[in-house]
Amino acid sequence: MSIFKKLIFLFTISFSLMAVIGLWIDNINAKRVDNFAKDKYLKVIDDIFRNIENKNYIDSLILKNNLEKVENLDKNNLEIIYFQESTFGEISILKYKSSNIYFLKIKYLDEEYLFKTLDEESLSDKTILNILVFLDIFVLLLIFLFIIKLLSPLKTITKQIKTFANGNLSTRIDINSNDEIGTLANNFNSMASSLENSIKTREELLRDIGHELRTPIAKGKFAIEKIDDFSQKELLKKIFYDLESLTNELIELEKLNITKLNLSTFSAETLILESLGKLYLEDESKIEIEISEDFKIEADLDYLSIAIKNLIDNALKYAVTFPIIIKVDKNEISILNKGDKLSKEFEYYLKPFTQELSQRDGFGLGLSIVKKIVDRHNFNLIYSYENGFNCFKLEILYNLA
């Protein structure tokens, strides 16, 4: 979960909690005010009821308690705070819902009197509390928006770092601020410039080394043709072929660290055909292809075909019987060969210059190259041994079909 989603989640919880607390405080305060109003006006309404015949006394009570006589009320919007019946009538204290406006209702025989209280706002600080709760929520919202704005450059930084990681070495972060985020952006730019220079120097060195190694190898191979001794000639050819293969594999392994992937969309079947095209296969009957469900892949076709080619090459090299099997099914490409189980943990063979048997051809770089290519694509390489078959499975983590 991203930081922004976490902030939104925390803000939602805080906002909801604040709202619940506000409603709870408002409810408690309303009940407290109602009880206070009932205690205050119960004596007044009882006094008026007992002296209803004494007009002068009633007028003095109205003036003393700051009451106002009214004619009628909206009965649909009233709630009863207190009610009491007697032989000659009834008394009640009413209020409008969601307000602090109270009414004193007196029914004496056939006459009915209504009085509105004029000092109800002084009975409580309910309104002030409601305003304070609202201000708390408003300030919380402002803090949330401020934090979002403060952290918004992190999206730019994340995007640019991802672009840089994908091979665009010229990527820089354009953020000018005097806080830690600005410092982070500047440090990244300095690091990116240093890495770009180092990688370019490394690329140039790699090209120079490749050129310098291939030149004497080519001269040596040419010179071999002048040797008359067949056995010596074949031995030297083998030595130079191995040296050339080792040079090419080492350069390819190093290039994987610095080369940007050329992504495209293609089918699994296309990948298999491209991989087989890179093999020098004399007998096609040694390979059996089973495509149960073809699917689309977004990857670098050239590099991924090299990975599949290396897996097929290893399967052919270590198989005790043929054919080896290439299976394509539901985002998975599996290469199976009949043979002995690997004698060590699979991770051991993913390191450079490691192989199962020292007398076999090769230098133990094939699986190391496969691992690097698979990791660059964020795919999975899984090994298993079942029913006498070694199975190397390439797991594609999405399906574009």
Side-chain angles (χ1 to χ4, degrees):
M1 184 183 292
S2 68
I3 292 177
F4 294 93
K5 287 182 179 179
K6 289 178 182 178
L7 283 175
I8 292 172
F9 177 72
L10 292 174
F11 171 75
T12 303
I13 292 177
S14 301
F15 185 86
S16 301
L17 185 61
M18 187 72 73
V20 169
I21 292 174
L23 292 173
W24 179 69
I25 290 175
D26 182 71
N27 185 52
I28 291 177
N29 195 45
K31 290 180 180 179
R32 185 177 65 83
V33 171
D34 289 343
N35 291 331
F36 183 80
K38 184 177 71 173
D39 292 340
K40 177 180 179 180
Y41 293 117
L42 188 57
K43 295 179 182 179
V44 177
I45 196 173
D46 186 62
D47 202 5
I48 293 174
F49 183 80
R50 293 179 183 278
N51 298 278
I52 198 69
E53 300 292 341
N54 188 342
K55 301 297 182 182
N56 292 330
Y57 185 71
I58 295 298
D59 291 339
S60 65
L61 285 177
I62 292 173
L63 183 64
K64 178 181 177 182
N65 293 282
N66 200 17
L67 303 176
E68 178 185 351
K69 194 171 183 181
V70 295
E71 298 298 327
N72 50 53
L73 296 173
D74 180 10
K75 295 181 180 180
N76 294 326
N77 198 31
L78 286 175
E79 59 178 323
I80 299 173
I81 303 301
Y82 177 81
F83 176 80
Q84 181 180 351
E85 273 188 305
S86 66
T87 305
F88 301 102
E90 59 187 42
I91 58 175
S92 56
I93 302 175
L94 313 169
K95 68 173 285 191
Y96 279 126
K97 294 177 181 178
S98 303
S99 75
N100 288 337
I101 303 175
Y102 295 90
F103 297 90
L104 310 181
K105 182 179 178 182
I106 302 170
K107 189 174 181 182
Y108 183 77
L109 298 178
D110 295 331
E111 295 184 6
E112 187 174 276
Y113 301 90
L114 286 172
F115 300 98
K116 177 183 178 182
T117 62
L118 299 179
D119 59 346
E120 65 279 347
E121 291 298 335
S122 65
L123 295 177
S124 74
D125 54 358
K126 177 184 176 182
T127 303
I128 296 175
L129 285 175
N130 289 339
I131 291 174
L132 289 175
V133 171
F134 173 78
L135 285 176
D136 284 343
I137 295 175
F138 182 70
V139 170
L140 180 65
L141 177 60
L142 290 180
I143 292 173
F144 171 73
L145 294 176
F146 176 75
I147 293 175
I148 289 294
K149 183 179 180 181
L150 191 66
L151 297 180
S152 59
L154 289 178
K155 284 188 175 181
T156 302
I157 293 175
T158 303
K159 181 180 178 181
Q160 298 298 85
I161 290 176
K162 187 175 181 180
T163 302
F164 185 86
N166 288 334
N168 188 353
L169 302 181
S170 62
T171 300
R172 297 294 182 272
I173 300 173
D174 186 17
I175 294 177
N176 297 316
S177 59
N178 296 322
D179 54 15
E180 288 80 358
I181 292 178
T183 302
L184 175 63
N186 292 331
N187 289 339
F188 171 81
N189 290 338
S190 300
M191 179 200 70
S193 297
S194 177
L195 283 176
E196 183 180 15
N197 293 332
S198 298
I199 290 172
K200 285 182 177 179
T201 302
R202 192 174 177 179
E203 286 177 337
E204 293 172 359
L205 180 61
L206 190 62
R207 285 196 298 268
D208 293 342
I209 290 174
H211 176 74
E212 294 300 323
L213 285 174
R214 287 189 178 110
T215 299
I217 290 173
K219 290 179 178 179
K221 290 170 70 176
F222 178 75
I224 289 172
E225 299 301 325
K226 298 180 180 180
I227 298 176
D228 295 328
D229 189 330
F230 180 78
S231 61
Q232 291 295 321
K233 185 175 182 178
E234 289 302 311
L235 177 61
L236 289 173
K237 274 186 177 182
K238 179 68 168 58
I239 292 172
F240 276 104
Y241 173 78
D242 287 348
L243 185 58
E244 185 176 32
S245 297
L246 177 59
T247 301
N248 291 335
E249 287 185 356
L250 285 173
I251 291 174
E252 194 62 49
L253 189 62
E254 187 62 26
K255 281 173 64 179
L256 281 169
N257 294 320
I258 57 179
T259 303
K260 182 180 179 181
L261 297 179
N262 182 23
L263 299 179
S264 61
T265 303
F266 47 87
S267 66
E269 183 179 2
T270 300
L271 175 61
I272 298 301
L273 294 175
E274 185 74 16
S275 303
L276 293 175
K278 295 182 184 299
L279 281 171
Y280 299 103
L281 190 63
E282 296 179 356
D283 186 0
E284 294 184 358
S285 65
K286 289 185 176 181
I287 296 178
E288 179 182 326
I289 301 175
E290 299 177 5
I291 300 180
S292 301
E293 183 179 328
D294 198 8
F295 59 93
K296 297 293 183 182
I297 305 171
E298 184 182 16
D300 187 310
L301 178 58
D302 183 52
Y303 273 120
L304 201 58
S305 63
I306 291 174
I308 299 296
K309 185 265 292 183
N310 284 356
L311 291 175
I312 296 172
D313 196 30
N314 277 351
L316 290 169
K317 188 185 300 182
Y318 292 99
V320 295
T321 61
F322 296 98
I324 69 165
I325 303 171
I326 302 174
K327 288 185 177 181
V328 176
D329 185 26
K330 295 181 181 179
N331 295 355
E332 294 178 354
I333 299 175
S334 303
I335 292 91
L336 300 92
N337 73 323
K338 190 84 170 178
D340 297 330
K341 183 180 179 181
L342 296 180
S343 59
K344 298 182 180 180
E345 293 293 327
F346 181 49
E347 287 71 19
Y348 167 80
Y349 302 96
L350 299 178
K351 300 173 183 178
F353 304 106
T354 55
Q355 55 188 146
E356 183 66 8
L357 297 173
S358 59
Q359 66 266 29
R360 296 286 189 180
D361 293 334
F363 303 96
L365 291 172
L367 279 180
S368 179
I369 292 174
V370 172
K371 177 61 175 173
K372 274 194 179 290
I373 293 173
V374 169
D375 288 346
R376 286 291 304 274
H377 287 85
N378 293 319
F379 297 160
N380 287 335
L381 180 63
I382 302 170
Y383 168 76
S384 61
Y385 185 80
E386 297 178 5
N387 302 321
F389 281 89
N390 290 289
C391 176
F392 293 85
K393 182 186 297 181
L394 178 63
E395 225 178 32
I396 312 298
L397 302 180
Y398 53 79
N399 191 343
L400 301 178

